[in-house]
Amino acid sequence: MYTRRFLQLGLLFIVASVAFAQTDPSASRLQQHVSYLASDALDGRRTGTAGANDAARYIAGEFARLGLKPAAAGPATRRGSRIMARYLQQFPYVAGIELGQQNAFLIGGTQRLTVREEWMPLSFSTNASVSGSIVFVGFGIKAPELNHDDYQGVPVSGNIALALAGTPDSDNPHGKFFRYVDVHLKAIAARDAGAKALLLITNEPDFKKALLARLEVDLLGGDVRLPVATVSQQALAKLAPQLTLSELQQLASAKQQSTLKPVAGPFTLTTELVRKEVPAYNVVGVLEGSDRLLKNETIVIGAHYDHLGRGGSGSLAPRSGEIHHGADDNASGTAGVLELARVLTEQRPRPKRTIVFIAFGGEEEGLLGSNYYVNHPATPLNSVVAMINMDMIGRMKDRKLVIGGVGTAKEWRDIIAQGTADPARKFELTLNEDGFGPSDHSSFYGKEIPVLFFWTGTHNDYHKPTDTWEKINYQDQTRILNLVSYIVRHLDSADKRVTYTKAKTDPAPRTGGFRVYLGTIPNYADSNDGLLIDGVRDDSPASKAGLKAGDRIVKIGTREVKNVYDYTYALGEMKAGEEYVIEIIRGTDRLTLKITPIQR
Ligand SMILES: [Zn+2]
């Protein structure tokens, strides 16, 4: 009897301790994850590379070990078990661009220029073969607001346009022509003037060193619907023996290119680029809710695991080639997702709502993974109570922590205040209202989901090879994760969801010297049948015009908008304070709205 009673008591005690189990995030586990993800073995985790895919498999392995449910019908991979592959959500990604077999540049049918040595197609060039005379178009700039049109009086239609790289003010970043350095804008100006192709003479005398002659993946994706190539300064002597570079420069500066006769040639330009698409992955694991009803609501916890590989686009290192370890950016956030997955899986009683853990790929290339996810979600988007993003949470100093997105739900400030009342979770907080920003929460906020974004700020190793694992402040990182798990438990145990609110916008980042501002968040992953809008900044011209996330802009004023290039160009032509008609596709409807851009 006694024995039995004792046993019962013991049993009760065990049950009780299990019933309220609360695991804490562990600094040593964080260090384990970060030191592997940021190791040389993963080669900087550039999306689409073996290193990034190894990282994805590692994360999938951890999800499997914790017993999370796989969310995706992943591909069968050679390495790793098939079960692990089911955590991988595949999305398309252009990893590389190469010259095809057909590239040729013929002069008068006899002489030819050698590709790579004397000329090179640009990465956003269309594949095509065109013939015609060459017409010199100065800098190839059309800037109505500056009263500058290099195409005026020049018979370029049906011919091949030849322009100088750069601008009349020598690429001065404070010069009024600065944004017209952009070769995309030059290509659009040439296309609109009826040119069959555009050739750009490099500024750099040594063609091998010319930036334009490097074939790199264009982050904007797609092509510009015109063959565009760069030619060396030396090749000019073969194209137009009667002209020198300095003569052309003088004519362009004096805007006297229309005095030149076309060079008859005939010239035949054939461009062929092969865009190499490779699979890339998000890793998605689901902890199903324990409450019969509330499990239909979802809390998303995410962080991107990809980084910059060995440099190249996005790198701030003086030269590329070295491994960019990305310990803070964003092995730290990824380790955070893994630790929170462990803590929340071990928590008793189990969470009522469903928690979806996501490690995103393609963030550094423009939020590609999160963008794909919100359009192919594991649980319906309207079930998502909130999304919490961690990007660079490993360099805490003096307890300084930035939390973004606090304007995206009415309750956020209160919840954060309660969470940080505990001395173990006290921080020097900077709270930002905006739900948009340069990381994956932006994709969710664009779908009107409340978001929070955790960040310990930038530092000297940001986007450089020196962002290494031993510089991470693991101890303080556990404090951040304690706060995040407090917030998640708060969201999970509440009767009601937090209330989505449209956040006040932080001052918009200045890009490319535009003088006008619309307040749209363009979708860079998408192209060629209009410009898809991921979101609209609060209180902006776009929101006043009635534009919404998911709208596709197809026309601004008289300009057709097929893709982000056209959009950028149209933006450059707009004047602040003037009203423009803007045509959009919303669902199956074509709507006409009116928008008035404001001064930057
Ligand atoms: Zn980054």
Side-chain angles (χ1 to χ4, degrees):
M1 199 65 160
Y2 180 78
T3 320
R4 202 171 154 215
R5 219 177 119 214
F6 177 80
L7 269 177
Q8 268 179 348
L9 273 174
L11 209 65
L12 269 175
F13 178 73
I14 291 165
V15 170
S17 69
V18 166
F20 298 99
Q22 182 68 61
T23 319
D24 281 327
S26 133
S28 68
R29 282 174 199 265
L30 289 173
Q31 180 173 330
Q32 260 175 39
H33 295 314
V34 172
S35 56
Y36 174 66
L37 292 168
S39 67
D40 285 359
L42 296 194
D43 209 29
R45 311 187 305 280
R46 176 69 90 166
T47 301
T49 66
N53 295 346
D54 282 347
R57 274 188 286 270
Y58 173 82
I59 297 158
E62 291 297 305
F63 283 177
R65 218 171 44 77
L66 293 169
L68 297 183
K69 253 180 47 183
T77 48
R78 266 186 297 121
R79 280 200 284 162
S81 73
R82 191 167 294 169
I83 292 176
M84 248 158 68
R86 287 171 53 216
Y87 292 95
L88 304 182
Q89 178 184 50
Q90 188 174 327
F91 61 89
Y93 173 65
V94 176
I97 188 158
E98 286 165 13
L99 288 181
Q101 300 292 313
Q102 307 300 322
N103 294 288
F105 199 137
L106 299 176
I107 307 170
T110 53
Q111 210 181 5
R112 56 170 65 222
L113 298 184
T114 314
V115 72
R116 279 184 214 277
E117 309 279 323
E118 296 172 295
W119 76 282
M120 193 73 177
L122 298 194
S123 59
F124 58 91
S125 171
T126 298
N127 293 341
S129 188
V130 297
S131 311
S133 305
I134 282 180
V135 175
F136 182 59
V137 296
F139 291 98
I141 291 171
K142 195 171 175 193
E145 78 283 9
L146 298 174
N147 226 337
H148 183 104
D149 184 1
D150 279 332
Y151 286 88
Q152 198 168 17
V154 179
V156 75
S157 185
N159 287 317
I160 296 170
L162 174 71
L164 300 171
T167 76
D169 38 39
S170 313
D171 304 353
N172 169 6
H174 303 293
K176 59 180 182 169
F177 283 103
F178 183 62
R179 81 181 200 88
Y180 292 96
V181 163
D182 189 344
V183 288
H184 300 99
L185 295 184
K186 294 192 178 196
I188 289 170
R191 191 189 72 200
D192 288 357
K196 281 183 167 174
L198 173 66
L199 303 174
L200 291 159
I201 307 170
T202 59
N203 284 334
E204 167 62 54
D206 182 351
F207 194 64
K208 294 268 177 210
K209 287 188 189 154
L211 276 176
L212 282 180
R214 277 187 210 164
L215 198 58
E216 276 181 359
V217 176
D218 199 301
L219 283 187
L220 299 181
D223 76 56
V224 77
R225 294 180 286 139
L226 186 80
V228 186
T230 181
V231 294
S232 73
Q233 296 185 359
Q234 294 73 22
L236 183 63
K238 292 188 189 171
L239 294 175
Q242 65 278 32
L243 296 169
T244 66
L245 182 61
S246 62
E247 278 169 344
L248 292 184
Q249 283 163 341
Q250 277 168 25
L251 284 170
S253 301
K255 290 214 266 178
Q256 287 182 346
Q257 55 269 22
S258 59
T259 60
L260 272 185
K261 284 203 166 59
V263 187
F267 303 89
T268 303
L269 175 69
T270 306
T271 50
E272 192 199 9
L273 295 172
V274 181
R275 292 179 178 86
K276 211 174 97 209
E277 218 176 82
V278 299
Y281 305 101
N282 294 322
V283 194
V284 188
V286 179
L287 176 60
E288 213 175 305
S290 60
D291 184 275
R292 197 170 52 86
L293 289 173
L294 290 177
K295 74 177 189 186
N296 296 320
E297 292 185 7
T298 311
I299 300 163
V300 175
I301 301 176
H304 77 89
Y305 69 90
D306 67 300
H307 193 53
L308 302 173
R310 287 179 175 251
S313 142
S315 169
L316 297 175
R319 58 204 150 77
S320 58
E322 282 175 68
I323 297 173
H324 287 52
H325 295 88
D328 184 35
D329 186 9
N330 185 29
S332 68
T334 309
V337 168
L338 293 176
E339 260 307 82
L340 287 171
R342 186 179 68 86
V343 164
L344 291 161
T345 313
E346 290 175 4
Q347 177 189 296
R348 293 294 178 275
R350 288 164 50 214
K352 294 176 184 166
R353 291 172 167 88
T354 294
I355 305 180
V356 178
F357 299 91
I358 314 176
F360 298 106
E363 191 271 351
E364 303 282 11
E365 334 287 333
L367 316 184
L368 301 181
S370 54
N371 216 302
Y372 186 84
Y373 181 85
V374 296
N375 290 302
H376 305 83
T379 62
L381 283 190
N382 61 17
S383 81
V384 181
V385 175
M387 189 274 176
I388 294 178
N389 182 30
M390 296 172 285
D391 194 353
M392 300 172 63
I393 54 166
R395 291 292 193 102
M396 180 165 281
K397 247 202 221 152
D398 307 326
R399 296 268 180 113
K400 284 185 194 144
L401 177 64
V402 182
I403 307 179
V406 300
T408 65
K410 205 174 72 186
E411 297 83 356
W412 278 149
R413 280 181 187 270
D414 280 349
I415 296 174
I416 292 166
Q418 289 165 32
T420 51
D422 185 321
R425 297 189 294 256
K426 235 180 167 48
F427 299 99
E428 283 293 313
L429 289 180
T430 303
L431 301 182
N432 292 333
E433 293 279 316
D434 204 349
F436 291 118
S439 188
D440 296 306
H441 56 285
S442 213
S443 301
F444 289 79
Y445 182 58
K447 299 285 186 188
E448 306 198 334
I449 292 168
V451 296
L452 283 181
F453 165 46
F454 290 80
W455 184 45
T456 49
T458 193
H459 46 79
N460 281 334
D461 302 306
Y462 172 68
H463 280 202
K464 291 180 191 155
T466 48
D467 178 7
T468 45
W469 70 271
E470 75 284 355
K471 293 178 185 160
I472 299 297
N473 178 349
Y474 297 102
Q475 210 53 53
D476 277 336
Q477 199 186 331
T478 63
R479 293 179 201 283
I480 300 170
L481 296 179
N482 263 323
L483 176 59
V484 176
S485 78
Y486 173 88
I487 292 169
V488 172
R489 276 182 278 125
H490 191 290
L491 292 172
D492 180 50
S493 58
D495 297 336
K496 282 201 323 199
R497 303 165 65 140
V498 287
T499 323
Y500 166 82
T501 49
K502 213 171 172 123
K504 277 197 205 72
T505 306
D506 292 337
R510 290 183 76 94
T511 47
F514 287 116
R515 297 158 322 124
V516 301
Y517 169 70
L518 298 183
T520 55
I521 312 288
N523 183 322
Y524 288 102
D526 192 85
S527 67
N528 284 332
D529 46 354
L531 179 89
L532 182 63
I533 297 297
D534 272 348
V536 170
R537 287 183 189 273
D538 191 37
D539 219 19
S540 65
S543 82
K544 285 177 189 153
L547 272 166
K548 288 185 180 155
D551 287 349
R552 205 174 274 281
I553 299 178
V554 291
K555 200 167 182 185
I556 298 179
T558 56
R559 182 165 291 279
E560 301 277 351
V561 176
K562 297 267 190 226
N563 53 35
V564 71
Y565 301 121
D566 297 335
Y567 175 73
T568 309
Y569 200 80
L571 206 55
E573 289 178 329
M574 295 174 102
K575 291 199 178 81
E578 236 168 70
E579 189 180 81
Y580 294 84
V581 171
I582 181 164
E583 284 180 38
I584 61 160
I585 307 276
R586 179 177 296 162
T588 53
D589 299 334
R590 192 178 175 111
L591 306 177
T592 302
L593 306 172
K594 285 179 182 154
I595 193 163
T596 308
I598 55 172
Q599 200 87 34
R600 271 229 176 250

